[in-house]
Amino acid sequence: MTVDVSPSPSEATRIARFLDLVTEMFERSDYLLPVAAGQRQFRQDNYNMASAALLEDLFFDALGMFVRENHPQVALRRRDGKELWDYGVDGLLLSHKESLTTGISVWWTAGDRVDGSKSYIPKPELQTFNADHPIVMVYSGCSAFDWTSDTTELATAQLEGTAAAHHGRMIGSLGTRAIAGQAETSFKHTLVLAEQTGSDTLKVAQVWRPGEWNGLTFNDLWPALGGPGIGSRDLWLDTAYRDGTRGLAPVAEYAGGAQLRLSSDTLLPGVYVIPAAAMRDVPMVANNRAHSFEDAATKTLLRNARADGFYAAFPTWFAHFAVSQPPNLYAKQREQYEALFAARRR
């Protein structure tokens, strides 16, 4: 698979413009919170394909309203047939994906069954994939990741007077745990409010030790989370090690301004754009429903997108507070019916 092919200058400029709009949109709570809420509410009430379709519509509707309100000169398009793209922003046609994992499915057809096994392999004509359009991946995964810190406040003096870097482990965003139906309610973990200062760095702003945060409500946390910069702040669960034993993480003891450097394979929740030029001969895997990118290939493509700056942060903490609220589709359709007979129309 070729992964080092760069997009054309025109495509790169358009991708950057699209992500600038997304970043600007997520800086507003009236857009960020509803989109984050949908991650939990739609996923809890629908199977994977249905929830992904609803989340795609939610994302485009939010972006469309934001653009029309704040950047009316930006042209938007929506697929209305069997096109291989989902929507367009200022001439950039994009294929949209939503996932809690790094899986990207591109063909909704089953693979070939392996004789005498429950396994599937890609069909001969679908073993590799070449993209016609960039892929937008809204990744809201909740995987754990490691961090290190050389911040002075975190350094431990050694006998020779040198300092040693601390290390720890997060188990993901508080919101993404709620999305997966695994919201943490024990008193074993520290809650960390951290600002994303880069695609692989976090700056700690505040911590709540075990037993301090479990009963906190949205209203309790909003003063620390809301306001300018909301698009880069998230709530993380810290389950780091200290001196080789499980317990309070160093970040819980030295919160002020600690800079955390994340492991190179970390993919934070965010909006990633993979240029079409990077997706040439991508190896595929298959199951009984679809053909998808091989996982290692997907992770490489997403890391490269992040390294190239084709990435926007997507804080998901509000999903923790978004109780299940299944959409009442009949009520929406009924509104149109009732409007036909409204007295004011006659």
Side-chain angles (χ1 to χ4, degrees):
M1 180 189 69
T2 302
V3 296
D4 58 352
V5 178
S6 299
S8 67
S10 175
E11 184 182 33
T13 299
R14 290 178 176 180
I15 291 174
R17 173 57 172 159
F18 165 73
L19 288 169
D20 283 344
L21 292 171
V22 172
T23 299
E24 187 180 342
M25 177 177 73
F26 283 160
E27 265 297 305
R28 288 183 46 174
S29 61
D30 52 337
Y31 288 95
L32 173 63
L33 268 58
V35 174
Q39 288 287 332
R40 181 177 187 183
Q41 292 168 343
F42 290 165
R43 291 188 187 282
Q44 286 189 335
D45 195 53
N46 300 274
Y47 63 92
N48 290 343
M49 289 178 62
S51 64
L54 289 169
L55 288 168
E56 176 190 320
D57 285 341
L58 174 64
F59 182 90
F60 180 76
D61 288 350
L63 181 65
M65 184 170 289
F66 172 78
V67 166
R68 290 189 176 101
E69 177 186 345
N70 298 279
H71 300 278
Q73 74 282 4
V74 173
L76 296 175
R77 292 181 65 186
R78 193 70 164 108
R79 182 185 67 180
D80 55 12
K82 295 184 178 180
E83 297 89 349
L84 297 178
W85 50 273
D86 295 306
Y87 52 81
V89 180
D90 253 6
L92 178 68
L93 302 179
L94 298 159
S95 175
H96 189 99
K97 308 292 181 183
E98 294 268 352
S99 185
L100 283 173
T101 69
T102 53
I104 294 180
S105 297
V106 292
W107 289 307
W108 296 107
T109 182
D112 289 334
R113 186 76 172 265
V114 178
D115 292 339
S117 170
K118 295 182 179 180
S119 300
Y120 290 80
I121 60 174
K123 293 181 178 298
E125 68 276 17
L126 302 179
Q127 293 184 356
T128 60
F129 178 80
N130 295 302
D132 294 318
H133 307 287
I135 286 180
V136 175
M137 172 70 149
V138 179
Y139 172 65
S140 49
C142 55
S143 299
F145 57 86
D146 295 328
W147 58 262
T148 59
S149 179
D150 296 317
T151 303
T152 303
E153 290 84 352
L154 295 176
T156 301
Q158 305 298 303
L159 293 176
E160 62 274 22
T162 60
H166 285 257
H167 66 277
R169 188 166 180 80
M170 299 279 192
I171 61 172
S173 161
L174 181 64
T176 58
R177 301 289 290 185
I179 291 170
Q182 301 169 351
E184 183 58 50
T185 57
S186 74
F187 289 79
K188 299 179 181 178
H189 304 297
T190 298
L191 186 67
V192 180
L193 170 60
E195 176 185 359
Q196 193 170 336
T197 54
S199 59
D200 57 357
T201 55
L202 297 173
K203 181 179 180 180
V204 176
Q206 190 172 347
V207 299
W208 293 266
R209 293 169 181 261
E212 294 178 344
W213 61 269
N214 301 78
L216 296 180
T217 66
F218 169 81
N219 289 331
D220 294 328
L221 291 169
W222 180 243
L225 287 160
I230 187 175
S232 62
R233 290 190 287 267
D234 212 342
L235 291 171
W236 306 92
L237 289 171
D238 187 354
T239 183
Y241 291 88
R242 180 176 183 269
D243 299 329
T245 61
R246 201 170 185 82
L248 281 182
V251 69
E253 298 178 344
Y254 307 95
Q259 300 280 352
L260 309 182
R261 184 173 59 255
L262 312 185
S263 52
S264 61
D265 60 346
T266 300
L267 292 170
L268 294 176
V271 179
Y272 296 76
V273 179
I274 306 173
M279 292 177 284
R280 293 290 178 266
D281 299 323
V282 181
M284 306 295 292
V285 295
N287 57 26
N288 63 340
R289 298 184 307 275
H291 284 63
S292 306
F293 288 1
E294 187 181 80
D295 190 55
T298 306
K299 290 177 179 176
T300 298
L301 290 166
L302 293 175
R303 290 183 195 123
N304 288 349
R306 179 188 66 184
D308 291 338
F310 299 147
Y311 165 83
F314 177 32
T316 58
W317 60 269
F318 184 67
H320 178 72
F321 298 98
V323 296
S324 181
Q325 186 175 339
N328 190 330
L329 299 182
Y330 173 73
K332 291 296 182 183
Q333 298 303 107
R334 176 80 187 197
E335 287 176 8
Q336 183 177 8
Y337 168 82
E338 292 177 343
L340 292 173
F341 301 96
R344 294 282 184 174
R345 288 176 54 91
R346 305 208 170 188

